[in-house]
Amino acid sequence: MRHLRHVSLAVLLVAAVLVLAAGTAQAQDPVKVAPKNFKVLLDNEHVRVLEFHSNAGEKIPMHSHPACTIYSFAAGKSKYTSPSGETSERDMQAGQAVWRDAESHASEFMGPGEAHSLLIEMKGKHHMKTSAKKK
Protein backbone atom coordinates (compact mmCIF):
# COMPACT_ATOMS: atom_id res chain seq x y z
CA MET A 1 0.00 0.00 0.00
CA ARG A 2 2.86 2.35 0.82
CA HIS A 3 4.38 1.72 -2.66
CA LEU A 4 1.04 2.59 -4.29
CA ARG A 5 0.98 5.96 -2.49
CA HIS A 6 4.48 6.77 -3.76
CA VAL A 7 3.51 5.84 -7.32
CA SER A 8 0.34 7.96 -7.10
CA LEU A 9 2.31 10.90 -5.73
CA ALA A 10 4.89 10.55 -8.51
CA VAL A 11 2.14 10.45 -11.16
CA LEU A 12 0.51 13.57 -9.68
CA LEU A 13 3.86 15.37 -9.59
CA VAL A 14 4.63 14.53 -13.23
CA ALA A 15 1.12 15.64 -14.27
CA ALA A 16 1.54 18.95 -12.42
CA VAL A 17 4.90 19.60 -14.10
CA LEU A 18 3.40 18.88 -17.53
CA VAL A 19 0.48 21.24 -16.91
CA LEU A 20 2.83 24.01 -15.75
CA ALA A 21 5.15 23.46 -18.72
CA ALA A 22 2.24 23.66 -21.16
CA GLY A 23 1.06 26.88 -19.53
CA THR A 24 4.53 28.40 -19.77
CA ALA A 25 4.86 27.47 -23.45
CA GLN A 26 1.49 29.03 -24.23
CA ALA A 27 2.35 32.14 -22.23
CA GLN A 28 5.32 32.74 -24.53
CA ASP A 29 3.17 32.92 -27.67
CA PRO A 30 3.23 36.61 -28.73
CA VAL A 31 -0.47 36.47 -29.64
CA LYS A 32 -1.27 35.32 -26.09
CA VAL A 33 0.99 37.79 -24.23
CA ALA A 34 0.14 40.80 -26.44
CA PRO A 35 -3.18 40.17 -28.22
CA LYS A 36 -3.74 43.87 -28.98
CA ASN A 37 -0.38 44.01 -30.79
CA PHE A 38 -0.34 40.70 -32.70
CA LYS A 39 -3.09 39.45 -35.01
CA VAL A 40 -3.01 36.03 -36.72
CA LEU A 41 -3.67 36.47 -40.45
CA LEU A 42 -2.90 32.88 -41.53
CA ASP A 43 -2.09 29.71 -39.63
CA ASN A 44 -1.57 26.38 -41.35
CA GLU A 45 0.85 23.44 -41.19
CA HIS A 46 3.59 25.42 -43.00
CA VAL A 47 3.52 28.98 -41.64
CA ARG A 48 1.84 31.36 -39.25
CA VAL A 49 1.56 34.95 -40.46
CA LEU A 50 1.22 37.64 -37.80
CA GLU A 51 0.45 41.32 -38.23
CA PHE A 52 2.15 43.47 -35.59
CA HIS A 53 1.34 47.02 -34.47
CA SER A 54 2.93 48.98 -31.62
CA ASN A 55 3.14 52.61 -30.54
CA ALA A 56 6.38 54.24 -29.41
CA GLY A 57 7.14 53.35 -25.79
CA GLU A 58 4.86 50.32 -25.76
CA LYS A 59 6.42 47.23 -24.14
CA ILE A 60 5.68 43.63 -25.14
CA PRO A 61 6.30 40.99 -22.43
CA MET A 62 8.70 38.05 -22.88
CA HIS A 63 7.63 35.84 -25.79
CA SER A 64 9.11 33.47 -28.39
CA HIS A 65 9.20 33.27 -32.17
CA PRO A 66 10.29 30.36 -34.33
CA ALA A 67 12.54 31.21 -37.27
CA CYS A 68 10.74 33.89 -39.27
CA THR A 69 10.86 36.56 -41.95
CA ILE A 70 9.83 40.07 -40.86
CA TYR A 71 8.60 42.67 -43.33
CA SER A 72 8.37 46.23 -42.00
CA PHE A 73 5.86 48.73 -43.38
CA ALA A 74 7.29 51.59 -41.27
CA ALA A 75 10.75 52.67 -40.16
CA GLY A 76 11.70 52.64 -36.50
CA LYS A 77 13.90 51.29 -33.75
CA SER A 78 13.11 48.56 -31.23
CA LYS A 79 14.86 47.48 -28.07
CA TYR A 80 14.98 43.73 -27.31
CA THR A 81 15.69 42.08 -23.96
CA SER A 82 16.73 38.41 -23.94
CA PRO A 83 15.69 35.99 -21.16
CA SER A 84 19.19 36.47 -19.66
CA GLY A 85 18.63 40.24 -19.46
CA GLU A 86 20.94 41.27 -22.31
CA THR A 87 19.59 44.11 -24.44
CA SER A 88 20.07 45.07 -28.07
CA GLU A 89 18.56 47.61 -30.44
CA ARG A 90 17.53 47.02 -34.04
CA ASP A 91 16.58 49.51 -36.74
CA MET A 92 14.06 48.66 -39.46
CA GLN A 93 13.42 50.61 -42.64
CA ALA A 94 10.06 50.82 -44.38
CA GLY A 95 9.95 48.13 -47.06
CA GLN A 96 12.75 46.10 -45.47
CA ALA A 97 12.52 42.31 -45.07
CA VAL A 98 14.84 40.45 -42.67
CA TRP A 99 15.34 36.85 -41.55
CA ARG A 100 15.48 36.08 -37.84
CA ASP A 101 16.43 32.78 -36.27
CA ALA A 102 14.18 31.44 -33.51
CA GLU A 103 14.42 33.58 -30.39
CA SER A 104 12.76 34.62 -27.15
CA HIS A 105 12.69 38.27 -26.05
CA ALA A 106 10.71 41.10 -24.54
CA SER A 107 10.53 44.17 -26.77
CA GLU A 108 9.85 47.88 -26.76
CA PHE A 109 9.21 49.92 -29.89
CA MET A 110 11.16 53.13 -29.43
CA GLY A 111 9.66 54.98 -32.39
CA PRO A 112 9.18 57.19 -34.11
CA GLY A 113 5.46 56.83 -34.77
CA GLU A 114 3.93 53.39 -34.98
CA ALA A 115 5.51 50.02 -35.78
CA HIS A 116 3.68 47.98 -38.40
CA SER A 117 5.09 44.73 -39.69
CA LEU A 118 4.32 41.20 -40.86
CA LEU A 119 6.01 38.19 -39.28
CA ILE A 120 6.02 34.97 -41.30
CA GLU A 121 6.85 32.25 -38.78
CA MET A 122 8.08 28.95 -40.21
CA LYS A 123 6.72 25.59 -39.06
CA GLY A 124 8.29 22.15 -39.38
CA LYS A 125 10.54 21.07 -42.20
CA HIS A 126 9.86 22.52 -45.63
CA HIS A 127 10.58 20.71 -48.82
CA MET A 128 10.42 22.19 -52.27
CA LYS A 129 9.07 19.95 -54.99
CA THR A 130 11.41 19.57 -57.87
CA SER A 131 10.48 18.20 -61.24
CA ALA A 132 12.68 15.56 -62.74
CA LYS A 133 14.23 16.58 -66.01
CA LYS A 134 13.43 14.36 -68.96
CA LYS A 135 16.35 13.12 -71.00
Side-chain angles (χ1 to χ4, degrees), residues 90-103:
R90 297 179 192 156
D91 290 307
M92 290 291 287
Q93 300 303 316
Q96 181 182 13
V98 296
W99 171 261
R100 296 275 185 244
D101 289 329
E103 67 180 338

Side-chain angles (χ1 to χ4, degrees), residues 55-58 76-79 88-90 108-113:
N55 293 311
E58 195 167 4
K77 181 182 282 196
S78 293
K79 177 179 168 182
S88 64
E89 293 180 2
R90 297 179 192 156
E108 177 183 357
F109 181 63
M110 299 166 67

Side-chain angles (χ1 to χ4, degrees), residues 1-6:
M1 190 59 97
R2 183 181 230 169
H3 177 69
L4 186 57
R5 266 191 250 154
H6 286 264

Side-chain angles (χ1 to χ4, degrees), residues 4-74:
L4 186 57
R5 266 191 250 154
H6 286 264
V7 170
S8 296
L9 183 59
V11 168
L12 284 173
L13 182 60
V14 168
V17 167
L18 289 174
V19 167
L20 289 173
T24 300
Q26 287 180 350
Q28 289 196 1
D29 181 343
V31 177
K32 302 254 190 249
V33 301
K36 76 174 204 148
N37 301 94
F38 290 94
K39 177 182 176 185
V40 178
L41 301 179
L42 171 69
D43 192 358
N44 63 31
E45 68 274 12
H46 303 290
V47 298
R48 181 170 78 157
V49 179
L50 304 177
E51 182 174 22
F52 174 72
H53 287 273
S54 181
N55 293 311
E58 195 167 4
K59 295 181 180 183
I60 308 296
M62 189 65 64
H63 59 280
S64 297
H65 297 281
C68 65
T69 298
I70 303 170
Y71 177 83
S72 182
F73 293 103

Side-chain angles (χ1 to χ4, degrees), residues 115-131:
H116 181 202
S117 56
L118 287 180
L119 290 80
I120 299 100
E121 298 180 333
M122 309 308 292
K123 292 183 179 182
K125 294 182 180 180
H126 299 279
H127 303 283
M128 292 183 62
K129 293 182 180 180
T130 58
S131 57

